[in-house]
Amino acid sequence: MYTNSIFRRTPCLSFCLLFKIGQSEVYLISPDTKKIALEKNFKEISFCSQGIRHVDHFGFICRECSGGGSGGFHFVCYVFQCTNEALVDEIMMTLKQAFTVAAVQQTAKAPAQLCEGCPLQGLHKLCERIEGMNSSKTKLELQKHLTTLTNQEQAMIFEEVQKLRPRNEQRENELIISFLRCLYEEKQKEHSHTGEPKQTLQVAAENIGSELPPSASRFRLDSLKNRAKRSLTESLESILSRGNKARGLQDHSSSVDLDSSTSSTLSNTSKELSMGDKEALPISESSFKLLGSSDDLSSDSESHLAEESALLSPQQAFRRRANTLSHFPVECPTPPEPAQSSPGVSQRKLMRYHSVSTEMPHERKDFESKANHLGDTDGTPVKTRRHSWRQQIFLRVATPQKACDSPSRYEDYSELGELPPRSPLEPVCEDGPFGPVQEEKKRTSRELRELWKKAILQQILLLRMEKENQKLQASENDLLNKRLKLDYEEITPCLKEVTAVWEKMLSTPGRSKIKFDMEKVHSAVGQGVPRHHRGEIWKFLAEQFHLKHPFPSKQQPKDVPYKELLKKLTSQQHAILIDLGRTFPTHPYFSAQLGAGQLSLYNILKAYSLLDQEVGYCQGLSFVAGILLLHMSEEEAFKMLKFLMFDMGLRKQYRPDMIILQIQMYQLSRLLHDYHRDLYNHLEEQEIGPSLYAAPWFLTVFASQFPLGFVARVFDMIFLQGSEVIFKVALSLLGSHKPLILQHENLETIVDFIKNTLPNLGLVQMEKTISQVFEMDIAKQLQAYEVEYHVLQEELIDSSPLSDNQRMDKLEKTNSSLRKQNLDLLEQLQVANARIQSLEATVENLLSSERKLKQAALALEAERSALLQTVEELRRQSTPPSTPEPDRTQLPPTGD
């Protein structure tokens, strides 16, 4: 089929997109923005195909509406690239199945009713006939089809094709098809399908009141308003288009009795309203009576209306309305003269305002009193004419003026009654049917500059207001999301005093570099964690762990930014998408399919699968990430997931070999054997191993079966004490429900109780379990049980009577496990060596600092002794030497 299509390739996006195929539509979803980038219904898709040269591409052609409100449409081709060819094959197969199912369902709902006389149906049959033909046969078939058209249509198509001068037969065929399509689309607009009676717009408008129920009165009123607006718009465009042609004298023979035409239209509109629910439109009826459309008509108008009504057929409720041209009261029915004015007064100009008010004219009493008052002031009898509401609107929008800002703009037309106030916007002066007038005085450059500055300031203010509104909207959305995330019941209500303690610790400046008293932190966690601060408290506990253990026990992954990971593709995408709907399906944040919650969870799991290639993605990991996502942002949740996996030791249980999970099941059995021997014996008698009920507890950290409030408290303790908390919680749950478990005597009832009844424990029991966990210490037992497991495994391999091949396989497996252990020990050794080197470097730095301090102390002592000596010398110099006083008793000698 020949179509004028627009081929559009999707732009290269920095983030990967999800392609979702629904029951009747396809979606292209952006996990980054949490929005739908593209949505297409199956009805809009006309063709879908996989790439021939580039097999990792596929695309489809869609019909889209053209812009500008023209009502047309065009075809757009969207092309997408996938990771590999297998994914494209899967998408194409899924699309085919979806299209087939949708077509079957649509056919079952409503069988297709084709109209054989439709022009576009004929074009469709023509395209089916020429599909696959070569250019010559296609041209011959098109020429046969053109003979079915009229001579005028054939000539038109021939002329249009010859104007474009096609270079070959294929191009000529394409042009003929395009012109046939345009021709048939125009015919389709006037076509009535088989079995449908032909109805004109007038008849449809007449029957609209009778077809709709009384509750649809507002719809009828809106339809009347829209019809009036369209009529008024057409009239104004007709007037303005002949504004330049209407200058000078106007012939009396071409004048139209506007009152008659408008009043007849208004009368017919009143008839249409009377056919519907009259009680539904009391305002409109009163408004029509107020305008005096039937009582205030002149004798000429009445006679003209009678003649028009006699010519109309009974089936027509409307006659075609005349162009709405407004003219003003005159003293005699002489042809209108060109506007005469004194030399000092310029001709009036037709004014067009930017906004049109839909206010109705005032009441008739005020209208008549105003007209009588103005007639008396003039002293000459003026023939007062009543104007319909259409004319009043027109006179308000486009009224001849002396000047744009003249104070006497309505002085010659005061007999029209008191018009509504004009629009506050500046009018646009144009040449009207009464001739051009003197142009307004142009604004100076300074005035234009001032106006431009004001406009820029207004635009800046609008942009600022828009930004503030966006910020407010974003903050409001964040609050709503936070409230939606924390929609779970807290098992330990946090007291105000405890909340104040947490807020004080969280608000400490530079807290990431300050070591807090862990006993105080442990006590605060035991007393409770406020729900709205839980995410921040988890980050605080992670910071304290890093300060306490500056050298990680395991090798950390590469520090790749989260946004960089989102740009990549993962091989685990299919498994992640399947588990999204299974993760917290009843929680409102995750319940929406591919909603904001599921897309954020998808981003976290995808990023981690790319970061940790060994683990990738494992079932149960989505629950851990989901709990983190409920209490913090997406990127922060990803960082905390890395902390739990690498620093808290959860990563080892998600490895593909699941050896660590087997060790954990053995450790739990040994704990039951040591702490609850009777419960252990009862479960062993029924051959119930911990893997039947405890594996989901470890893989999902109790999140898949237990209430969210309880799971959040478990995460509080994991961030504080590590992964051994899972053993403590499991042991406490089984021990506290031991009497109830012992009452069941078979495997099915015991497993059902542990899986379904046990998670629905009350708040008191939950709090009791948490309190027991804080008091338990099983770290040494867990280490001993792990060593015991490896020893028993080696003994079993050595003592089992196996064949050489089986023994070889066992040895290879054991060898591989030992290699992994050796690698782990080597990593620990490297970390220990690095720590020793760091400590040695620290000691050397301290020793050098000590030597420097000793030297500085000696220098200070020497300086002190020197200063003391200087002080002593100064004291000696400041004290004067003592001289003997003369003896006053001895008289000096006297001369003769």
Side-chain angles (χ1 to χ4, degrees):
M1 181 176 181
Y2 293 90
T3 55
N4 292 329
S5 302
I6 300 175
F7 290 88
R8 179 185 302 165
R9 184 184 177 92
T10 54
C12 295
L13 301 175
S14 58
F15 293 94
C16 301
L17 302 177
L18 295 178
F19 188 75
K20 176 186 174 183
I21 303 174
Q23 294 182 352
S24 60
E25 59 279 318
V26 294
Y27 301 96
L28 195 66
I29 303 174
S30 172
D32 178 56
T33 59
K34 314 297 186 300
K35 294 180 180 179
I36 297 176
L38 181 66
E39 179 181 1
K40 292 296 177 184
N41 195 283
F42 286 171
K43 296 179 180 179
E44 301 174 357
I45 300 176
S46 61
F47 184 75
C48 185
S49 176
Q50 184 179 0
I52 298 176
R53 293 184 180 178
H54 303 280
V55 292
D56 59 340
H57 288 67
F58 77 97
F60 49 82
I61 299 175
C62 298
R63 184 178 66 177
E64 293 187 357
C65 296
S66 301
S70 59
F73 59 88
H74 58 272
F75 291 88
V76 179
C77 181
Y78 293 92
V79 181
F80 306 97
Q81 183 180 9
C82 299
T83 54
N84 49 46
E85 182 182 357
L87 182 58
V88 178
D89 294 337
E90 184 178 357
I91 290 175
M92 297 305 298
M93 182 178 64
T94 308
L95 281 173
K96 182 178 179 180
Q97 294 175 354
F99 288 156
T100 304
V101 173
V104 171
Q105 292 179 353
Q106 185 67 22
T107 305
K109 290 181 180 178
Q113 296 180 357
L114 298 178
C115 175
E116 298 297 333
C118 281
L120 290 180
Q121 180 67 15
L123 179 62
H124 177 67
K125 292 181 179 179
L126 172 64
C127 294
E128 287 182 343
R129 290 199 301 270
I130 65 177
E131 183 71 26
M133 292 184 178
N134 54 32
S135 301
S136 302
K137 292 184 179 180
T138 301
K139 182 177 181 180
L140 181 61
E141 189 67 27
L142 291 177
Q143 289 176 355
K144 290 181 181 179
H145 183 78
L146 289 176
T147 57
T148 61
L149 304 178
T150 62
N151 295 332
Q152 183 178 1
E153 293 171 346
Q154 294 181 25
M156 183 270 294
I157 293 178
F158 178 75
E159 291 176 358
E160 295 294 335
V161 171
Q162 292 302 319
K163 286 180 182 178
L164 297 177
R165 297 179 180 178
R167 59 182 178 273
N168 50 38
E169 289 185 350
Q170 183 179 358
R171 178 59 179 166
E172 182 179 356
N173 296 338
E174 292 177 358
L175 292 174
I176 293 175
I177 284 293
S178 63
F179 289 129
L180 284 175
R181 175 185 164 191
C182 296
L183 176 63
Y184 285 149
E185 284 178 353
E186 293 297 329
K187 287 186 176 182
Q188 188 70 30
K189 295 178 182 179
E190 303 175 357
H191 173 71
S192 297
H193 297 295
T194 305
E196 294 183 0
K198 293 185 177 181
Q199 295 180 350
T200 60
L201 295 176
Q202 289 84 354
V203 176
E206 181 184 27
N207 296 333
I208 194 172
S210 59
E211 291 175 358
L212 294 175
S215 61
S217 59
R218 182 170 181 82
F219 175 77
R220 291 197 300 272
L221 181 59
D222 293 340
S223 63
L224 291 175
K225 289 181 178 179
N226 293 333
R227 191 184 302 113
K229 289 179 180 178
R230 288 196 301 270
S231 176
L232 180 61
T233 304
E234 293 173 358
S235 302
L236 290 175
E237 290 177 354
S238 176
I239 292 171
L240 295 174
S241 63
R242 350 178 183 168
N244 295 328
K245 298 179 181 179
R247 299 171 184 172
L249 296 175
Q250 297 181 352
D251 296 335
H252 178 62
S253 59
S254 63
S255 62
V256 181
D257 193 347
L258 302 176
D259 295 331
S260 301
S261 61
T262 309
S263 300
S264 62
T265 306
L266 188 59
S267 176
N268 292 330
T269 308
S270 302
K271 292 179 183 179
E272 179 192 8
L273 290 174
S274 63
M275 294 180 67
D277 189 0
K278 295 182 179 180
E279 296 179 358
L281 300 171
I283 300 177
S284 300
E285 291 178 0
S286 62
S287 301
F288 282 3
K289 292 179 182 179
L290 188 65
L291 291 172
S293 60
S294 59
D295 297 338
D296 297 333
L297 293 174
S298 61
S299 58
D300 297 337
S301 301
E302 291 175 356
S303 60
H304 184 69
L305 178 60
E307 294 175 0
E308 289 283 340
S309 302
L311 292 175
L312 289 174
S313 62
Q315 297 179 353
Q316 292 178 335
F318 288 85
R319 70 172 179 84
R320 186 168 182 177
R321 65 186 298 276
N323 291 332
T324 309
L325 297 174
S326 179
H327 58 273
F328 305 103
V330 293
E331 299 182 359
C332 58
T334 57
E337 295 288 333
Q340 300 293 334
S341 60
S342 60
V345 181
S346 61
Q347 293 180 338
R348 298 179 178 86
K349 204 172 192 179
L350 185 65
M351 304 298 295
R352 183 173 63 190
Y353 295 90
H354 294 290
S355 62
V356 179
S357 175
T358 56
E359 298 177 4
M360 302 300 291
H362 297 283
E363 297 184 357
R364 185 187 305 175
K365 293 182 180 180
D366 298 337
F367 187 87
E368 292 177 355
S369 61
K370 183 72 177 177
N372 295 334
H373 175 70
L374 293 174
D376 294 341
T377 57
D378 195 18
T380 58
V382 179
K383 183 179 178 181
T384 304
R385 303 188 61 178
R386 305 303 180 201
H387 294 265
S388 68
W389 61 277
R390 294 180 188 270
Q391 289 175 314
Q392 292 285 355
I393 295 176
F394 172 74
L395 290 176
R396 183 184 174 193
V397 175
T399 306
Q401 303 291 327
K402 288 183 178 181
C404 292
D405 299 325
S406 175
S408 58
R409 53 189 307 162
Y410 295 111
E411 63 182 3
D412 292 340
Y413 313 110
S414 56
E415 63 269 23
L416 297 178
E418 185 178 354
L419 296 177
R422 68 169 184 170
S423 170
L425 298 177
E426 187 68 22
V428 179
C429 299
E430 296 182 358
D431 293 341
F434 296 97
V437 298
Q438 184 179 357
E439 294 289 340
E440 281 189 11
K441 184 180 180 181
K442 293 185 178 180
R443 299 181 184 274
T444 62
S445 59
R446 183 177 181 181
E447 293 175 347
L448 292 175
R449 196 178 297 111
E450 293 295 330
L451 289 174
W452 180 250
K453 289 181 180 179
K454 290 180 181 179
I456 292 177
L457 290 176
Q458 290 178 358
Q459 190 68 19
I460 293 174
L461 291 175
L462 288 175
L463 291 175
R464 288 181 179 176
M465 292 175 63
E466 186 176 356
K467 288 183 180 179
E468 292 296 329
N469 291 335
Q470 290 177 357
K471 290 181 181 179
L472 292 175
Q473 186 67 27
S475 61
E476 184 178 355
N477 293 337
D478 292 341
L479 291 175
L480 291 176
N481 283 334
K482 189 174 183 180
R483 188 180 304 170
L484 187 67
K485 288 181 177 181
L486 301 179
D487 186 16
Y488 62 84
E489 187 177 4
E490 187 71 65
I491 66 170
T492 307
C494 194
L495 301 177
K496 294 183 178 179
E497 294 78 6
V498 181
T499 304
V501 172
W502 280 117
E503 290 178 350
K504 183 178 179 180
M505 285 191 290
L506 294 177
S507 60
T508 303
R511 72 178 191 198
S512 60
K513 299 180 180 179
I514 300 175
K515 288 185 179 181
F516 287 81
D517 186 2
M518 292 310 297
E519 293 184 359
K520 183 178 179 180
V521 175
H522 194 280
S523 175
V525 173
Q527 293 177 2
V529 174
R531 178 167 49 182
H532 55 284
H533 289 315
R534 178 163 273 132
E536 195 68 23
I537 290 172
W538 289 351
K539 290 190 290 182
F540 168 75
L541 295 176
E543 293 169 356
Q544 292 301 308
F545 179 85
H546 287 145
L547 291 175
K548 187 178 179 181
H549 305 85
F551 301 97
S553 59
K554 298 289 182 181
Q555 185 178 359
Q556 294 292 317
K558 295 181 180 179
D559 190 11
V560 184
Y562 178 66
K563 293 184 178 179
E564 292 297 326
L565 293 172
L566 292 181
K567 297 178 183 179
K568 301 178 182 179
L569 296 175
T570 175
S571 59
Q572 308 289 334
Q573 175 174 312
H574 186 67
I576 295 173
L577 289 173
I578 290 176
D579 286 345
L580 288 181
R582 304 172 183 173
T583 307
F584 302 115
T586 59
H587 194 278
Y589 185 65
F590 296 105
S591 59
Q593 186 177 12
L594 291 183
Q598 289 192 5
L599 291 177
S600 297
L601 184 60
Y602 168 80
N603 288 339
I604 295 174
L605 298 175
K606 169 190 168 183
Y608 184 81
S609 67
L610 293 169
L611 182 71
D612 190 356
Q613 297 288 341
E614 182 183 1
V615 172
Y617 171 74
C618 178
Q619 283 187 339
L621 197 59
S622 59
F623 286 92
V624 180
I627 291 294
L628 297 173
L629 189 58
L630 289 177
H631 296 88
M632 57 189 70
S633 65
E634 185 178 309
E635 188 169 356
E636 292 174 346
F638 174 73
K639 293 179 180 178
M640 290 299 101
L641 180 61
K642 284 171 51 180
F643 172 77
L644 289 177
M645 296 291 284
F646 289 93
D647 296 315
M648 291 288 102
L650 292 182
R651 177 179 178 271
K652 57 187 178 181
Q653 68 185 21
Y654 294 104
R655 286 179 176 174
D657 53 11
M658 292 289 180
I659 293 178
I660 301 299
L661 185 62
Q662 295 178 9
I663 297 175
Q664 289 173 340
M665 295 298 102
Y666 177 79
Q667 290 171 322
L668 181 60
S669 298
R670 290 289 284 111
L671 288 171
L672 284 175
H673 180 272
D674 293 347
Y675 286 90
H676 304 286
R677 180 70 61 86
D678 51 352
L679 178 60
Y680 171 79
N681 294 332
H682 184 69
L683 294 176
E684 285 295 320
E685 290 176 1
Q686 302 298 330
E687 296 181 354
I688 300 175
S691 59
L692 291 178
Y693 58 86
W697 294 356
F698 282 83
L699 292 177
T700 67
V701 195
F702 301 95
S704 61
Q705 298 175 356
F706 287 81
L708 286 177
F710 178 78
V711 178
R713 289 293 289 153
V714 174
F715 270 75
D716 294 341
M717 294 181 291
I718 289 176
F719 275 97
L720 184 64
Q721 299 179 1
S723 59
E724 67 180 47
V725 171
I726 303 177
F727 292 96
K728 296 180 183 180
V729 175
L731 185 62
S732 177
L733 288 173
L734 294 173
S736 60
H737 292 82
K738 179 171 61 175
L740 297 175
I741 297 175
L742 293 176
Q743 293 178 1
H744 299 279
E745 298 295 336
N746 54 61
L747 183 145
E748 290 80 6
T749 56
I750 293 176
V751 174
D752 181 72
F753 176 83
I754 296 176
K755 284 187 175 182
N756 300 322
T757 307
L758 185 62
N760 296 324
L761 48 101
L763 297 178
V764 177
Q765 188 63 40
M766 290 182 185
E767 186 59 32
K768 182 180 178 181
T769 302
I770 298 299
S771 301
Q772 292 176 357
V773 169
F774 270 98
E775 298 173 358
M776 295 174 63
D777 185 11
I778 57 174
K780 294 182 179 180
Q781 289 93 320
L782 291 176
Q783 293 178 359
Y785 297 153
E786 184 176 359
V787 174
E788 184 179 308
Y789 175 85
H790 290 294
V791 172
L792 291 174
Q793 189 179 26
E794 291 177 0
E795 291 178 355
L796 182 63
I797 293 174
D798 294 336
S799 62
S800 59
L802 300 174
S803 62
D804 294 338
N805 293 331
Q806 292 177 348
R807 191 175 181 84
M808 186 67 66
D809 294 337
K810 288 281 187 181
L811 291 174
E812 287 179 356
K813 290 182 180 179
T814 305
N815 190 20
S816 63
S817 64
L818 290 175
R819 284 179 180 176
K820 289 184 179 179
Q821 292 180 12
N822 289 333
L823 291 175
D824 293 340
L825 292 174
L826 182 61
E827 290 178 1
Q828 295 179 10
L829 181 61
Q830 291 176 355
V831 171
N833 290 331
R835 187 173 183 181
I836 291 173
Q837 292 176 2
S838 176
L839 292 175
E840 290 177 352
T842 304
V843 170
E844 291 180 359
N845 293 331
L846 292 174
L847 291 175
S848 62
S849 300
E850 184 181 2
R851 288 194 296 269
K852 291 179 181 179
L853 290 173
K854 287 181 179 180
Q855 293 176 359
L858 293 175
L860 290 174
E861 286 291 336
E863 185 179 358
R864 180 174 177 274
S865 60
L867 290 173
L868 289 175
Q869 292 177 1
T870 304
V871 170
E872 290 295 332
E873 291 177 358
L874 291 174
R875 286 179 179 176
R876 292 193 199 99
Q877 293 177 3
S878 61
T879 304
S882 58
T883 55
E885 295 182 357
D887 190 3
R888 294 180 179 180
T889 58
Q890 184 179 2
L891 296 175
T894 58
D896 293 335

